[in-house]
Amino acid sequence: MLAADDPLILDLVEWVAREERSHAELMESWRTACPRLTVWEDAIERGYLMRQARLVTVTAKGRELLSTSGRRTA
């Protein structure tokens, strides 16, 4: 489950769930100059997102996270 300080991870997973995203699109849209902001890496490490070739998709665990958080899954 997400910690109280992880709303950006939830936002990212929800954003990817809305429509198919390429890895390049995700990197462009979610880039940051802050080295401490590791939203993409944290979402991958926790199993909410995965990269398949050029696409980024939401995993079953990510969809469960959205559902239990009351967020949109599609």
Side-chain angles (χ1 to χ4, degrees):
M1 188 54 74
L2 288 177
D5 61 350
D6 291 335
L8 285 177
I9 293 173
L10 190 54
D11 289 345
L12 174 61
V13 175
E14 181 181 35
W15 182 76
V16 173
R18 287 185 185 158
E19 67 180 76
E20 193 172 84
R21 308 286 182 175
S22 70
H23 181 259
E25 179 184 12
L26 185 140
M27 289 295 119
E28 179 63 25
S29 297
W30 285 82
R31 70 179 171 190
T32 178
C34 179
R36 293 183 182 212
L37 190 58
T38 58
V39 177
W40 159 250
E41 292 87 353
D42 292 343
I44 291 289
E45 183 178 292
R46 295 177 189 184
Y48 302 136
L49 298 176
M50 64 186 232
R51 184 175 177 188
Q52 297 177 323
R54 295 181 183 172
L55 295 179
V56 177
T57 59
V58 178
T59 64
K61 186 175 180 180
R63 292 197 183 281
E64 180 181 338
L65 170 72
L66 292 175
S67 178
T68 60
S69 300
R71 295 286 187 111
R72 216 172 98 161
T73 58

